[in-house]
Amino acid sequence: MRKSSSILDRRAFLAGTAAIGGAAVFAPLLPAWAQSGTRGLKPDMPTLSGEDIALRIGHSPFTVGGRTGQAVTINGTVPAPLIRLREGQNVRIAVTNTLEEDTSIHWHGVLLPFQMDGVPGVSFPGIRPGETFVYEFPIRHAGTFWYHSHSGLQEQLGHYGPLIFDPAGADPVAYDREHVLVLSDWSFMNPHTMLRKLKAMGDYFNRQQLTVAGLFRTGDPEQQMPLSERLMWDRMRMDPTDIADITGTTYTYLINGHGPQENWTGLFRPGERVRLRVINASAMTVFNVRIPGLPITIVQADGNNVRPVKVDEFQISVAETYDAIVEPADDRAYTIVAESVDRSGMGRGTLAPRMGMTAAVPPLRPRPTLGMDDMGMAGMGHGSMGGMDHGSMSGMDHGAMAAMGQSGGMTGMGMGDMNMRDESLAPPDMKVGVGVDMIAMNPQDSVGKPGLGLANVGHKVLVYTDLVALEPNPDPRPPSRSLEIHLTGNMERFMWSFDGRQFSEVVEPIRFARNERVRVTLVNDTMMQHPIHLHGHFFEVVNGHPGHHPMKHTVNVLPGSKITFDLTADNPGDWAFHCHLLFHMHAGMFNVVTVRPLDGGPA
């Protein structure tokens, strides 16, 4: 009951904010582009640009929802200043550390020399307290990117900002006005405390679980699960509502540093083509973005242009970016909804012709539940599981059994013959120890699947197969070899790894020969989604558009599924490769990709 009340209270609060309007009086430190009421990015707006830029990392107070905490800031603001550069120029960025601990800046999605990539222990030693490090690199491409700390858990505390590279020539995307939308998640709880709580109890932050009282409550879609299935989940000691590790119980979801109450507002004139540069800079939150009443045309993914595709909603995983065009024709306001994937909260903003105008804020939709697809059993009907015995499930481990249910339900099924950690399904070099509680039995390619909870929302949702590169892929060679990497974990112990090995085990790096063409398949053996990011490269997501596969730096691998990409390893050096859920990376889902030879180095 307590959990349900919390949800209703949150929804009532969000609905109530529609009446508050844009007269927010909160005044956190914000760069000009992120302030509410902005007319968009303009040439005379204070923006960091040119060949010499200075950044200063330190602590600053940050206020949201009428409460103030301490953030890790860049030049004193959350988000950090917008850095805007042009393709073809060089830049020197001097970063001074005024913290009492080491720090760093990683330029997310940027092609640069690996020594400038900003990952302590991989590409440089980090920036010690009181020191200044000068990043220097050429701008080789255009697009929307961002930058953030790669030290400890500083990213959770506000250490992130947007990065725009304008093209050297004409921009294929025409627009009259542009806004940057940086989505993020803020908590007043120290991130190390959050991690400790997750280690102690994996579902600590989940307040949307099924309840006994829910069995008797009619009209609540979140509590609609037959008793037989509930008992089955209970025997498995599993939770079908385990969608996000950290939820709206502790997070406030931000748009450009504003909480839902502050209602960040971007202005437009009716009839304009408005470009939205959307960046998911959150630590742990996957967002579903929509603007009710306004179609969204996606024109760029992860900084690379794609053929325009019109949608009503898109899911943006952590570390991804999407550029979109909207064309509001009427003299009215529109609500920007950035709903967390588990629907425990939302970021809320407004597009409007004038300040003070608002639109209705839709209530949170019922949260999704996990199903058979999410445990790597897609297409495995009940018939293939005959003879299984419910009663034998009680001793099965948590991760192995999570998610039987939604996709067809579990009534009538048994599990006695099922081995959810069948080592024969693992590749020979995968370590199947305590850190692996599940191996997907039948993982399916998920490039054509909408995100969790978006299959039946009644309107067009972006999927990866919609993305077609605007320009032909630069390397037409077929891959010369294939590589399979398993995303592994133990959900109950909050252990995360690649191929069963946490980075702390001093794993061997993933080695590529320079200019080698490799087909990489990521197999998700867990029931959590993982946005996997490779530094220093773009890869082509294999989505059925050969020659025009979308070029991305981050790909979201849904639970129990797989995704394949082709990589040309043409940037020599040592590069981080990791899940971009901050706590998953911190808990071990990280490795180093090594591309050799270096310039002038031995083969």
Side-chain angles (χ1 to χ4, degrees):
M1 290 293 290
R2 177 173 61 84
K3 297 167 185 172
S4 298
S5 298
S6 170
I7 296 167
L8 291 173
D9 291 344
R10 206 161 40 251
R11 288 183 172 142
F13 159 73
L14 286 165
T17 58
I20 293 175
V25 296
F26 305 99
L29 291 170
L30 292 160
W33 63 269
Q35 292 174 10
S36 192
T38 176
R39 297 181 180 278
L41 305 182
K42 298 164 55 181
D44 59 351
M45 175 174 284
T47 300
L48 299 182
S49 60
E51 294 196 347
D52 289 288
I53 290 171
L55 300 176
R56 193 175 185 85
I57 300 173
H59 288 294
S60 304
F62 176 70
T63 300
V64 65
R67 186 178 173 190
T68 300
Q70 282 293 311
V72 174
T73 58
I74 302 174
N75 289 9
T77 67
V78 177
L82 168 65
I83 298 178
R84 186 155 202 161
L85 306 170
R86 184 168 292 278
E87 182 183 15
Q89 74 162 92
N90 295 315
V91 68
R92 290 178 295 278
I93 304 176
V95 179
T96 299
N97 181 11
T98 71
L99 300 172
E100 299 77 28
E101 58 183 306
D102 286 12
T103 190
S104 58
I105 290 182
H106 162 59
W107 313 99
H108 186 101
V110 178
L111 303 180
L112 37 55
F114 80 96
Q115 301 91 336
M116 298 290 113
D117 192 47
V119 181
V122 176
S123 51
F124 86 138
I127 309 172
R128 287 188 284 271
E131 290 189 348
T132 296
F133 182 84
V134 179
Y135 295 85
E136 185 169 5
F137 51 91
I139 307 304
R140 297 168 47 188
H141 53 105
T144 300
F145 307 98
W146 61 297
Y147 60 104
H148 61 84
S149 173
H150 231 290
S151 298
L153 301 175
Q154 294 170 2
E155 189 184 334
Q156 177 68 88
L157 291 165
H159 187 320
Y160 51 80
L163 190 60
I164 296 175
F165 296 163
D166 290 310
D171 193 329
V173 180
Y175 55 92
D176 303 303
R177 185 189 300 256
E178 59 180 328
H179 291 290
V180 172
L181 301 180
V182 173
L183 312 179
S184 61
D185 44 24
W186 170 265
S187 176
F188 290 97
M189 184 182 292
N190 184 285
H192 292 280
T193 301
M194 297 162 75
L195 183 57
R196 279 200 304 274
K197 291 183 180 299
L198 286 170
K199 283 281 190 182
M201 185 185 297
D203 61 352
Y204 179 87
F205 296 101
N206 185 1
R207 298 293 184 273
Q208 299 189 122
Q209 294 165 329
L210 297 166
T211 64
V212 174
L215 268 176
F216 308 100
R217 191 162 60 240
T218 58
D220 184 349
E222 293 190 345
Q223 295 294 330
Q224 288 182 357
M225 180 175 284
L227 177 61
S228 58
E229 291 191 13
R230 287 169 177 252
L231 292 174
M232 185 174 295
W233 282 101
D234 186 61
R235 289 193 191 98
M236 293 188 292
R237 293 176 294 161
M238 284 306 306
D239 182 2
T241 69
D242 194 5
I243 306 297
D245 294 311
I246 305 175
T247 70
T249 59
T250 187
Y251 276 150
T252 299
Y253 300 108
L254 308 181
I255 295 181
N256 293 345
H258 297 73
Q261 288 176 299
E262 288 88 359
N263 183 28
W264 176 87
T265 298
L267 302 181
F268 69 87
R269 289 194 181 95
E272 287 183 326
R273 283 172 59 88
V274 181
R275 182 173 191 163
L276 304 177
R277 299 180 182 267
V278 188
I279 300 165
N280 188 349
S282 65
M284 291 292 289
T285 305
V286 177
F287 288 104
N288 296 321
V289 178
R290 67 190 196 275
I291 307 175
L294 203 54
I296 300 167
T297 301
I298 301 295
V299 295
Q300 195 180 93
D302 286 2
N304 291 287
N305 294 318
V306 296
R307 294 175 186 169
V309 55
K310 187 172 289 187
V311 300
D312 298 299
E313 184 169 7
F314 64 95
Q315 182 167 98
I316 181 168
S317 195
V318 177
E320 290 185 311
T321 73
Y322 284 107
D323 282 28
I325 296 291
V326 295
E327 300 180 77
D330 300 325
D331 186 50
R332 52 158 289 196
Y334 300 86
T335 295
I336 303 168
V337 178
E339 193 176 50
S340 64
V341 68
D342 69 324
R343 293 164 183 171
S344 60
M346 71 168 68
R348 174 248 184 156
T350 295
L351 290 176
R354 294 175 296 282
M355 280 301 290
M357 298 178 72
T358 60
V361 180
L364 292 167
R365 296 173 292 191
R367 55 106 178 87
T369 52
L370 296 167
M372 292 182 66
D373 288 7
D374 308 311
M375 58 190 309
M377 299 174 66
M380 298 179 68
H382 292 187
S384 63
M385 301 174 187
M388 297 180 181
D389 172 20
H390 293 187
S392 65
M393 293 187 298
S394 57
M396 299 182 77
D397 62 82
H398 174 110
M401 301 308 303
M404 298 290 295
Q406 184 196 29
S407 302
M410 298 186 293
T411 304
M413 293 173 61
M415 310 289 225
D417 297 337
M418 188 176 294
N419 179 6
M420 295 303 298
R421 203 177 65 160
D422 184 349
E423 296 187 25
S424 68
L425 300 175
D429 58 346
M430 179 171 155
K431 177 184 177 183
V432 186
V434 67
V436 176
D437 63 8
M438 167 181 156
I439 299 171
M441 299 175 69
N442 189 36
Q444 300 296 303
D445 194 317
S446 63
V447 288
K449 288 185 61 177
L452 288 173
L454 295 179
N456 300 302
V457 291
H459 56 225
K460 170 62 180 174
V461 176
L462 182 75
V463 294
Y464 281 150
T465 48
D466 292 327
L467 299 176
V468 183
L470 191 64
E471 300 294 332
N473 295 145
D475 190 346
R477 296 177 298 162
S480 59
R481 70 179 173 108
S482 297
L483 176 67
E484 187 172 284
I485 299 172
H486 284 242
L487 320 182
T488 46
N490 182 317
M491 296 178 66
E492 192 167 16
R493 295 171 182 250
F494 206 74
M495 298 171 67
W496 303 102
S497 56
F498 288 124
D499 291 328
R501 295 178 178 84
Q502 295 177 290
F503 187 62
S504 58
E505 298 179 41
V506 194
V507 297
E508 275 293 304
I510 301 168
R511 301 181 188 278
F512 294 119
R514 187 169 180 176
N515 292 320
E516 184 183 18
R517 185 94 165 130
V518 184
R519 173 155 291 188
V520 179
T521 297
L522 303 174
V523 180
N524 188 351
D525 284 326
T526 80
M527 291 176 305
M528 302 298 291
Q529 54 193 321
H530 300 286
I532 301 299
H533 173 50
L534 173 61
H535 290 217
H537 295 79
F538 291 109
F539 48 74
E540 303 150 26
V541 178
V542 178
N543 69 343
H545 302 291
H548 286 269
H549 288 142
M551 306 286 289
K552 289 178 65 55
H553 52 60
T554 303
V555 65
N556 192 52
V557 190
L558 293 174
S561 69
K562 61 183 180 181
I563 276 185
T564 297
F565 63 79
D566 289 342
L567 170 71
T568 299
D570 57 359
N571 204 357
D574 296 325
W575 304 99
F577 175 72
H578 59 94
C579 176
H580 221 287
L581 296 178
L582 181 62
F583 294 105
H584 288 193
M585 178 181 71
H586 204 70
M589 193 175 279
F590 182 99
N591 203 347
V592 175
V593 162
T594 296
V595 180
R596 292 292 188 275
L598 302 176
D599 288 331

